């Protein structure tokens, strides 16, 4: 699971108000190279939750992103875009779990696929 | 990529071994899937460099078609782990990246407006009444640009009314890029005629859906 996917997922348990971002428990992280697409990154920059991405990438062992939302002028820097690219699209949570920030409920991630199915009493 | 080439690549994908009737797991044929995504890309620019979600992805045909047409990030969502396993094998065979999530579409909570386009071949609601409408309603909440979906021709008026009145679509148009009565082979001698729709969601302002 890429961190771009993580940036969209929210805990979906009934009654949970602040289900985003899900905390990451990383057991295995893999890196898969993909083509660098600066225009896509510039477009995504305004759409994603920066803090969630920076925290998630740190948990996954990649500590190169600033903690706070950077000024959009950084988008002119190739070096910044490369790091953003790597964190957003190349880091994959292969094994581990996503944890609801409000209830602590674990959603397991196996073979890169998060299982977000709810139990009957959570719907 | 040419349409013929796309269709041929999709035609080689592995499909359900044992389709689950209760989930209405009909494979999405290579013919219909290639035309659906080809239209989305070539007539509307809704695929390349975009974030695309495939709702009820099954073996991944539509989502994989999106990756082949250069979507930047594709996610397939399905409730069934066996389908997701096949989708994952299909992605490996094509040497493309498709993210997969196991979930029920109706229970999905999505943050932000990251997804541009939703593509789907939803359950037609023949086994579970309203399943098709749950998919459509969620898709229109998640997509910021367009939703492409297949629905039974017999539900045409209902789909249009619900999309525009209840689910926040600003437009709902039929695409005639398919043969007029596209047949879904359900059983040997029972076919279902389907429509290909393109819905455009109204612009959203909230930060979450």
């Amino acid at each position: 699971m890429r961190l771009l996917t993580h940036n969209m997922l929210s805990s979906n348990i009934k009654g949970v108000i602040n289900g985003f971002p899900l905390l990451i428990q990383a057991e295995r992280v893999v890196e898969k190279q993909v083509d660098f697409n600066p225009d896509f990154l510039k477009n995504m920059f305004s759409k994603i939750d920066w803090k969630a991405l920076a925290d998630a990438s740190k948990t996954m062992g990649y500590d190169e992103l600033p903690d706070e939302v950077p000024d959009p002028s950084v988008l002119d820097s190739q070096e910044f875009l490369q790091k953003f690219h790597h964190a957003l699209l190349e880091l994959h949570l292969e094994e581990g779990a996503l944890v609801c920030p409000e209830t602590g409920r674990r959603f397991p991630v196996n073979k890169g696929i998060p299982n977000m199915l709810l139990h009957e009493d959570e719907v | 990529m040419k349409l013929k080439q796309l269709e041929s690549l999709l035609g080689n994908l592995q499909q359900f071994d044992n389709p689950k009737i209760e989930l209405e797991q009909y494979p999405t044929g290579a013919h219909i899937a290639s035309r659906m995504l080809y239209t989305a890309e070539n007539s509307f620019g809704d695929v390349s460099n975009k974030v695309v979600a495939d709702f009820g992805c099954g073996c991944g045909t539509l989502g994989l078609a999106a990756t082949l047409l250069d979507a930047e990030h594709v996610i397939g969502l399905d409730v069934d782990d066996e389908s997701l396993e096949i989708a994952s094998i299909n992605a490996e065979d094509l040497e493309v990246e498709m993210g997969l999530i196991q979930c029920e579409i109706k229970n999905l909570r999505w943050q932000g407006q990251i997804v541009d386009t939703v593509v789907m071949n939803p359950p037609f609601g023949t086994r579970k009444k309203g399943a098709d409408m749950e998919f459509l309603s969620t898709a229109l909440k998640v997509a910021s640009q367009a939703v492409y979906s297949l629905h039974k021709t017999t539900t045409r008026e209902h789909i249009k009314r619900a999309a525009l009145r209840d689910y926040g679509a600003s437009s709902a148009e039929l695409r005639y890029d398919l043969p007029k009565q596209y047949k879904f082979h359900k059983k040997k001698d029972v076919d279902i005629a389907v429509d290909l729709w393109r819905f455009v969601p109204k612009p959203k302002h909230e930060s979450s859906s």
Side-chain angles (χ1 to χ4, degrees), chain A residues 90-102:
Chain A
E90 295 189 326
L91 291 177
H92 291 252
L93 179 62
E94 194 67 11
E95 299 291 333
L98 302 173
V99 179
C100 171
E102 202 169 292

Side-chain angles (χ1 to χ4, degrees), chain A residues 2 5 8 12 37 114 116, chain B residues 49 72-73 102 107 111:
Chain A
R2 284 174 170 166
T5 302
M8 328 177 187
N12 49 356
N37 181 346
M116 303 301 292
Chain B
N49 297 316
E72 181 72 24
H73 181 65
Q102 188 175 12
N107 295 334
Q111 184 75 16

Side-chain angles (χ1 to χ4, degrees), chain B residues 19-34:
Chain B
K20 299 189 174 85
I21 301 296
E22 71 278 12
L23 294 175
E24 299 189 45
Q25 290 181 331
Y26 316 126
T28 310
H31 183 270
I32 199 168
S34 55

Side-chain angles (χ1 to χ4, degrees), chain A residues 51-64:
Chain A
K51 186 101 179 60
L53 176 68
D55 288 351
S57 66
K58 201 174 280 184
T59 311
M60 305 259 282
Y62 186 71
D63 201 1
E64 299 289 325

Side-chain angles (χ1 to χ4, degrees), chain B residues 125-152:
Chain B
T126 46
R127 301 291 301 192
K128 190 173 154 239
K129 204 170 166 357
D132 50 343
M133 303 313 269
E134 285 172 359
F135 270 61
L136 181 57
S137 141
T138 309
L140 278 161
K141 281 183 203 152
V142 166
S144 58
Q145 201 162 314
V147 174
Y148 294 84
S149 184
L150 298 167
H151 295 275
K152 281 198 295 184

